[in-house]
Amino acid sequence: MSVLVAGTTALDSIKTSTKENPRLLGGSASHAAVAASFFSPVNLVGGVGEDFPKKYLTLYRKHGIDLAGLQMLPGKTFHWSGEYEVNMNNRRTLLTELGVIETFSPVLPKAYQTSPFVLLGNIAPALQHRVLDQMKQPKFVVADSMDLWLNIALPDLLRLLPRIDGFVLNDSEAHQLTKEDNVFNALKKIHKLGPKYVIIKKGSHGSILSSPKGFFICPAYPLSAVEDPTGAGDSFVGGVMGYLATARGSIDANIRRAMVYGSVTASFCCEGFGLNRTTKTKRADIEKRVKELEKLTKF
Amino acid sequence: MSVLVAGTTALDSIKTSTKENPRLLGGSASHAAVAASFFSPVNLVGGVGEDFPKKYLTLYRKHGIDLAGLQMLPGKTFHWSGEYEVNMNNRRTLLTELGVIETFSPVLPKAYQTSPFVLLGNIAPALQHRVLDQMKQPKFVVADSMDLWLNIALPDLLRLLPRIDGFVLNDSEAHQLTKEDNVFNALKKIHKLGPKYVIIKKGSHGSILSSPKGFFICPAYPLSAVEDPTGAGDSFVGGVMGYLATARGSIDANIRRAMVYGSVTASFCCEGFGLNRTTKTKRADIEKRVKELEKLTKF
């Protein structure tokens, strides 16, 4: 089955303590779509400007990503520039040029409207609503978010939560949303806001699922070198949704394994700037790391 | 087989945002010994002053802990007082009264010197050396430490590391010792300092083992209420060593499971002040949580 992936399609200029890479392909939808494409057909929803490099369109196509929902708009592509500290845990935004994203309104091609799996990647909650408004009885809808929307668009986000099946956020966002220090108490409070499935991302510490079948503690793949963590969270949820879209059986039967596949897909993302490493990854590489994670967690 | 547990035997006065508990039984050896006692016979090495409450001796004995190596010394028992922040992640020391610990020198009863498993709990590395000097061909020696010794007794600690089989420390201490931000690179560097087995504790994020058989990612038991995390690390390593001492087969065959047992024992420690919850725990309670952790991590 196919996954619809909506979110930002951007150019990212990323600085770390040792390297600088200007105008890489980035954005939540780009990372999530490429991650999901390892497992299932992907319908991309986004908007880019006239400066969007053709090579990035070629890259999407190489991953079999359907671009009928990618709008080519007058103006400049959304451009984000950020810098990581030495330990890779903290980053600061140097520049945000919204460009076409400022007036972007997602319009779904008819063929997209019946995608059974819907990933509302990180973008303004109002746009996530607009995507969802156009969908016809999706089977499983998951939304990602970020601290920015908790700060400036909380009412929109709170209206979104009862409309989705799954919500993905990181531990500091969970704390910000619920005022709970304890992650398990935060999870309980988030369920009350709507979603039946809540995943809290903890970076190199893995992630935690809370679902109708209880908790799952998902490991992160051990990496001794992180080149650029930008997009790791998007890759994670992209991998989760891609895996779920092709797995047989219920969500409950597959979501744990889907998270492990998401975790591994995110590990490749961290090993290169932007999508550089992810796009060199083969499905067999992913399977190998999933098997390794099985061994690393067995007791 | 028996475990020798050396370390501090102390009185802890602990404040959290909601409660205050003065002069509880504390210290690295107390927590580790009680934790180990769920699995194996324990020989305790420590020193207490004339003010040490009799009820705590009774408590040790109730756990079958051999006290022949607990010295009753003239003066006051080591007393630590600390306060936790609301989120339980940060604590500050309010008061440290060394008392008898200042001049304490461990003397091992003859029967202790052949204990096959030796846990050098958190105490000055010079004293850890002194314990080890008195041991006769132990099978497996593990040491714990803390940031204080990295700051004021690093040469002693560096001399200890080649003498032990296993070293346990937390992630910030691993960073302090190796200057490595990445935990897997830190592990490599710590192996070069001596120990074949290195465990990095990450609190509520679990722990990581690096061993001749590779890495193991050990989960933490999910707790929605942490009353007092003091001694959780000591309880963890106490549980690990207690489990190893009674398990059949090689260290490599048992150490992963031992860590899960240690993790669960530590979870009980966090649920009460001092040793209040741990001492109410039964072996069956531990087995129940180990089974739960198996389910929580399966994929």
Side-chain angles (χ1 to χ4, degrees):
Chain A
M1 283 192 263
S2 67
V3 181
L4 178 140
V5 176
T8 58
T9 42
L11 299 173
D12 283 353
S13 295
I14 299 162
K15 266 175 96 166
T16 63
S17 59
T18 55
K19 285 176 194 162
E20 194 168 344
N21 276 272
R23 301 175 77 76
L24 295 162
L25 178 58
S28 60
S30 300
H31 281 283
V34 172
S37 77
F38 290 109
F39 310 99
S40 67
V42 175
N43 297 330
L44 182 67
V45 177
V48 296
E50 293 148 335
D51 59 345
F52 193 71
K54 269 201 182 145
K55 63 177 176 184
Y56 295 153
L57 296 176
T58 309
L59 189 152
Y60 286 139
R61 286 198 190 96
K62 215 190 101 195
H63 281 267
I65 296 166
D66 189 307
L67 302 181
L70 182 69
Q71 298 173 43
M72 308 290 167
L73 301 162
K76 290 207 164 189
T77 304
F78 173 40
H79 177 217
W80 175 80
S81 169
E83 183 170 13
Y84 283 89
E85 285 179 15
V86 179
N87 69 10
M88 293 287 176
N89 289 328
N90 301 314
R91 75 175 183 199
R92 62 193 188 99
T93 293
L94 300 172
L95 184 85
T96 307
E97 297 171 297
L98 289 176
V100 299
I101 285 287
E102 202 157 9
T103 53
F104 168 63
S105 181
V107 179
L108 271 53
K110 197 153 190 209
Y112 279 30
Q113 297 170 7
T114 52
S115 288
F117 288 80
V118 179
L119 171 50
L120 306 171
N122 174 29
I123 198 166
L127 299 186
Q128 293 177 318
H129 278 287
R130 215 162 300 158
V131 172
L132 207 44
D133 291 342
Q134 298 171 63
M135 295 303 302
K136 289 180 180 146
Q137 296 184 298
K139 182 177 150 71
F140 195 65
V141 180
V142 168
D144 196 355
S145 197
M146 74 182 291
D147 51 355
L148 175 67
W149 310 122
L150 294 172
N151 290 328
I152 69 168
L154 187 59
D156 286 347
L157 182 63
L158 291 175
R159 272 199 309 115
L160 183 73
L161 295 181
R163 299 187 70 192
I164 60 178
D165 302 293
F167 187 44
V168 177
L169 71 175
N170 70 31
D171 40 5
S172 68
E173 290 154 7
H175 169 68
Q176 189 182 341
L177 181 60
T178 63
K179 313 295 174 231
E180 274 290 344
D181 283 304
N182 182 290
V183 75
F184 299 100
N185 291 335
L187 282 163
K188 274 182 220 157
K189 285 197 176 175
I190 299 168
H191 281 304
K192 286 190 183 150
L193 298 172
K196 268 170 75 179
Y197 299 82
V198 182
I199 293 174
I200 294 185
K201 298 174 287 182
K202 306 194 298 171
S204 62
H205 301 304
S207 56
I208 295 172
L209 163 74
S210 179
S211 77
K213 296 279 180 192
F215 295 128
F216 170 54
I217 301 173
C218 179
Y221 182 84
L223 290 178
S224 57
V226 171
E227 191 154 281
D228 168 22
T230 313
D234 309 306
S235 299
F236 168 75
V237 69
V240 170
M241 290 297 275
Y243 183 88
L244 282 177
T246 47
R248 286 183 197 186
S250 68
I251 296 294
D252 283 324
N254 294 308
I255 193 160
R256 289 171 166 231
R257 220 168 165 77
M259 284 172 69
V260 174
Y261 274 85
S263 185
V264 162
T265 310
S267 76
F268 288 109
C269 175
C270 293
E271 289 184 308
F273 271 90
L275 278 152
N276 290 353
R277 176 72 180 96
T278 312
T279 51
K280 286 193 192 81
T281 303
K282 304 271 169 248
R283 175 69 188 256
D285 302 325
I286 295 173
E287 297 295 342
K288 196 169 161 243
R289 287 196 176 176
V290 168
K291 282 210 172 68
E292 281 182 71
L293 265 188
E294 276 173 354
K295 283 187 193 156
L296 286 167
T297 52
K298 209 175 154 185
F299 62 87
Chain B
M1 284 194 265
S2 67
V3 182
L4 180 139
V5 176
T8 57
T9 41
L11 298 174
D12 283 354
S13 296
I14 300 161
K15 264 174 98 165
T16 63
S17 60
T18 53
K19 284 176 196 163
E20 194 168 346
N21 276 272
R23 300 174 77 76
L24 295 162
L25 177 59
S28 61
S30 301
H31 281 282
V34 172
S37 77
F38 290 110
F39 311 99
S40 67
V42 175
N43 298 328
L44 182 67
V45 176
V48 296
E50 293 148 335
D51 60 343
F52 193 72
K54 267 199 183 148
K55 64 177 175 184
Y56 294 154
L57 296 176
T58 309
L59 188 154
Y60 286 139
R61 286 198 191 97
K62 214 189 101 194
H63 281 266
I65 296 168
D66 188 307
L67 301 181
L70 182 68
Q71 299 173 41
M72 307 292 165
L73 300 163
K76 290 206 164 188
T77 303
F78 174 40
H79 177 217
W80 175 81
S81 168
E83 183 170 13
Y84 284 88
E85 285 179 16
V86 180
N87 69 11
M88 292 288 176
N89 289 326
N90 301 314
R91 75 173 181 199
R92 63 191 186 100
T93 293
L94 300 172
L95 182 85
T96 307
E97 297 171 297
L98 289 177
V100 300
I101 284 287
E102 200 156 9
T103 54
F104 168 62
S105 179
V107 179
L108 271 53
K110 198 154 187 206
Y112 279 31
Q113 297 171 9
T114 51
S115 287
F117 288 80
V118 178
L119 170 50
L120 305 171
N122 174 29
I123 197 167
L127 299 185
Q128 294 177 317
H129 277 287
R130 217 162 297 161
V131 170
L132 207 45
D133 292 341
Q134 297 171 64
M135 294 304 301
K136 290 179 178 147
Q137 297 184 299
K139 183 178 149 72
F140 195 64
V141 180
V142 167
D144 197 354
S145 199
M146 75 182 289
D147 52 356
L148 176 67
W149 312 122
L150 295 171
N151 290 328
I152 69 167
L154 187 59
D156 287 346
L157 182 64
L158 292 175
R159 272 196 311 114
L160 183 73
L161 295 181
R163 299 187 71 193
I164 60 177
D165 303 293
F167 188 43
V168 177
L169 69 176
N170 70 32
D171 41 5
S172 69
E173 291 154 5
H175 169 68
Q176 189 181 342
L177 181 61
T178 63
K179 314 294 173 229
E180 275 290 346
D181 283 305
N182 182 289
V183 74
F184 300 101
N185 292 335
L187 283 163
K188 274 182 218 155
K189 287 197 175 175
I190 298 169
H191 282 305
K192 286 189 182 151
L193 299 172
K196 271 170 74 180
Y197 299 82
V198 182
I199 294 174
I200 294 185
K201 297 173 289 183
K202 306 194 297 173
S204 64
H205 301 306
S207 56
I208 296 172
L209 164 75
S210 178
S211 77
K213 296 278 178 193
F215 295 128
F216 170 53
I217 302 172
C218 179
Y221 183 83
L223 289 178
S224 58
V226 171
E227 190 154 279
D228 168 23
T230 313
D234 309 306
S235 299
F236 169 74
V237 68
V240 171
M241 290 297 274
Y243 183 88
L244 282 177
T246 47
R248 285 181 198 187
S250 68
I251 297 294
D252 283 325
N254 294 308
I255 193 160
R256 289 170 167 232
R257 219 165 167 79
M259 284 172 68
V260 175
Y261 275 86
S263 185
V264 163
T265 310
S267 76
F268 288 109
C269 175
C270 293
E271 289 184 306
F273 271 90
L275 278 152
N276 289 354
R277 175 73 179 95
T278 311
T279 51
K280 286 195 192 81
T281 303
K282 305 271 169 248
R283 175 68 188 256
D285 302 326
I286 296 174
E287 297 297 341
K288 194 168 163 243
R289 286 197 178 176
V290 168
K291 283 212 173 68
E292 281 181 71
L293 265 187
E294 276 173 355
K295 283 187 194 156
L296 286 167
T297 54
K298 210 174 156 186
F299 63 87

